[in-house]
Amino acid sequence: MSDDEREEKELDLTSPEVVTKYKSAAEIANKALQLVISECKPKAKIVDICEKGDTYIREQTGNMYKNVKRKIERGVAFPTCLSVNNTVCHFSPLASDETVLEEGDMLKIDLGCHIDGFIATVAHTHVLQEGPITGRAADVVAAANTAAEVALRLVRPGRKNKDVTEAIQKVAAAYDCKIVEGVLSHQMKQFVIDGNKVVLSVSNPETRVDDAEFEENEVYAIDIVTSTGEGKPKLLDEKQTTIYKRAVDKNYHLKMKTSRFIFSEISQKFPIMPFTARALEEKRARLGLVECVNHDLLQPYPVLHEKPGDLVAHIKFTVLLMPNGSDRVTSHSLQELQPTKTIDDPEIKAWLSLGTKTKKKGGGKKKKGKKGDKPDESAEAEPMDTTNGATTQE
């Protein structure tokens, strides 16, 4: 198939091969997340942990599709980020950064993997402590998790994006938390991590998105960020930004030799997916990236912060809208939560009681699992227990 023909025929979930690639990418993303969590210990350097996550994804994807005729791109779809406490997102520091983790830190881990451009992303919140999470820390994690569970049940064919925006805000309010503004949940396609169909986290006059309806065979990264603060994060220091994505539709003749060198390296190594400046030579990168960003050749992913003392939780999952229902392919179980609030709102309870699979007529037989098999991750999501918001798909 020529490139032109490939472009004409957009590959989606109607192809079993595409579904397999999404699920393989998801499995690697889930295991990378598990590895990163296991590396999170007091006094561990954040940059070392981020590097281990990325290395794992590169190694695991590198072992797949080795002996195929057509070269299959694969690897990191979003660099491993580790954002602590009131830092909202995208913290993935340069090699020279000495920041370490401390006991009691609330960590947001965010990463992505792709195989042949089919992307699976995941984000998870972990508190660096033994025993259950209590108080406001538990509230903010439960708010993110419950909102994610509601979103999973509302992102389905025939529903509208604005239904999800309204619902997740209602859930966060039930825990006396805010959904963080400016976070978008994107449709994903082959080699496209930020598709045009989006779900807004908070609707306000400044941020408008087109109304859209979810359709069968689409894939979404559902991105939920909650805060005990105002939910209006700020960029404090542009120097903290290390993650960028090439803007493929922009051209400009760079003036500085350093910028041209860096942009050429980016175009070769990271033509489409987001990347971290750690992968570039540090001194040269700092200079060159500025001109590239100033002329819109690169899209930065800024490190945003809520106010000191605010707690921020983040849960992101990838969902495939299959003909038989929604298939959440990335997730991780949470620590035990003991929030100060419980869900009493009948509308939220009704959303949580929805299943995620479409019931097929004519009750087909269930396959019996082999002895010792793990339960299938994509099994029917159970109606969620609303007592503490801690239920999540394993």
Side-chain angles (χ1 to χ4, degrees):
M1 190 190 285
S2 73
D3 281 350
D4 292 346
E5 286 177 288
R6 181 174 298 286
E7 280 192 1
E8 272 173 39
K9 185 186 180 308
E10 194 174 276
L11 293 167
D12 66 13
L13 299 178
T14 51
S15 153
E17 189 188 355
V18 167
V19 175
T20 300
K21 285 173 180 172
Y22 272 118
K23 289 194 171 179
S24 301
E27 189 180 348
I28 293 170
N30 287 332
K31 286 180 176 167
L33 172 58
Q34 179 68 51
L35 170 76
V36 168
I37 292 170
S38 72
E39 294 288 337
C40 289
K41 299 179 177 78
K43 303 302 176 195
K45 267 169 73 171
I46 290 180
V47 64
D48 294 345
I49 301 170
C50 292
E51 204 46 61
K52 281 176 181 165
D54 291 352
T55 301
Y56 179 83
I57 292 171
R58 281 194 295 268
E59 285 172 356
Q60 295 300 308
T61 53
N63 292 334
M64 301 183 77
Y65 295 99
K66 277 181 174 171
N67 306 316
V68 289
K69 283 179 187 163
R70 177 172 76 86
K71 184 178 179 250
I72 287 189
E73 298 287 340
R74 56 212 191 278
V76 174
F78 199 85
T80 305
C81 302
L82 193 47
S83 308
V84 178
N85 297 332
N86 62 312
T87 304
V88 176
C89 54
H90 304 151
F91 191 76
S92 189
L94 297 173
S96 55
D97 189 277
E98 297 293 330
T99 314
V100 296
L101 300 180
E102 301 292 354
E103 182 74 33
D105 279 348
M106 181 174 279
L107 317 174
K108 278 79 64 188
I109 301 155
D110 187 3
L111 54 85
C113 169
H114 82 97
I115 292 168
D116 198 16
F118 298 105
I119 301 163
T121 57
V122 66
H124 177 73
T125 301
H126 179 78
V127 179
L128 210 51
Q129 67 173 57
E130 295 297 319
I133 305 169
T134 58
R136 292 298 282 151
D139 289 346
V140 76
V141 177
N145 185 58
T146 308
E149 292 288 345
V150 166
L152 173 64
R153 288 155 175 78
L154 296 183
V155 176
R156 53 196 317 168
R159 293 262 192 183
K160 301 270 195 311
N161 55 354
K162 61 174 187 268
D163 300 342
V164 180
T165 304
E166 288 161 12
I168 62 175
Q169 285 180 80
K170 188 167 190 177
V171 171
Y175 288 99
D176 197 16
C177 293
K178 290 273 199 311
I179 294 283
V180 170
E181 290 183 7
V183 179
L184 295 174
S185 297
H186 285 274
Q187 184 187 2
M188 298 194 291
K189 297 181 178 181
Q190 189 179 23
F191 291 110
V192 180
I193 198 166
D194 50 3
N196 292 335
K197 270 194 187 181
V198 297
V199 178
L200 204 54
S201 56
V202 178
S203 45
N204 59 31
E206 293 97 72
T207 25
R208 288 233 180 276
V209 298
D210 291 339
D211 284 348
E213 191 174 291
F214 305 111
E215 294 173 52
E216 204 171 277
N217 297 316
E218 290 180 337
V219 179
Y220 286 87
I222 301 301
D223 207 347
I224 311 277
V225 186
T226 51
S227 172
T228 58
E230 291 178 6
K232 297 176 190 289
K234 302 218 164 15
L235 171 67
L236 299 182
D237 182 0
E238 280 185 8
K239 287 197 186 76
Q240 284 190 323
T241 303
T242 60
I243 296 177
Y244 302 88
K245 183 167 80 74
R246 198 180 145 209
V248 285
D249 54 342
K250 295 280 192 296
N251 286 304
Y252 174 78
H253 185 68
L254 293 158
K255 304 288 184 282
M256 285 164 55
K257 191 177 177 184
T258 312
S259 308
R260 291 199 295 274
F261 179 86
I262 285 293
F263 191 66
S264 162
E265 188 182 355
I266 290 165
S267 301
Q268 282 169 353
K269 285 188 182 171
F270 312 105
I272 296 169
M273 297 292 177
F275 64 92
T276 162
R278 263 200 317 280
L280 310 168
E281 201 258 307
E282 193 167 321
K283 281 205 175 90
R284 194 178 255 178
R286 271 191 191 281
L287 284 168
L289 288 167
V290 174
E291 192 184 4
C292 294
V293 171
N294 287 346
H295 293 285
D296 300 329
L297 294 179
L298 296 177
Q299 173 194 330
Y301 287 80
V303 178
L304 301 175
H305 302 266
E306 281 278 69
K307 292 190 176 113
D310 292 344
L311 294 172
V312 179
H314 186 188
I315 290 181
K316 174 164 47 174
F317 62 89
T318 301
V319 61
L320 315 181
L321 302 189
M322 304 294 287
N324 65 340
S326 303
D327 197 348
R328 176 179 179 167
V329 291
T330 57
S331 64
H332 193 282
S333 52
L334 290 166
Q335 292 154 290
E336 187 191 335
L337 302 177
Q338 294 176 358
T340 68
K341 311 273 188 279
T342 52
I343 295 279
D344 301 313
D345 185 289
E347 190 175 20
I348 298 175
K349 285 185 161 178
W351 288 327
L352 290 169
S353 68
L354 298 169
T356 60
K357 295 290 180 203
T358 313
K359 295 278 185 286
K360 285 269 170 82
K361 285 175 186 165
K365 284 186 183 172
K366 269 192 174 174
K367 280 189 201 163
K368 278 192 178 171
K370 287 182 199 148
K371 209 173 178 186
D373 262 8
K374 275 190 166 176
D376 181 8
E377 281 199 4
S378 62
E380 168 96 50
E382 291 297 315
M384 186 173 148
D385 171 21
T386 56
T387 49
N388 67 4
T391 314
T392 187
Q393 283 177 284
E394 289 284 339

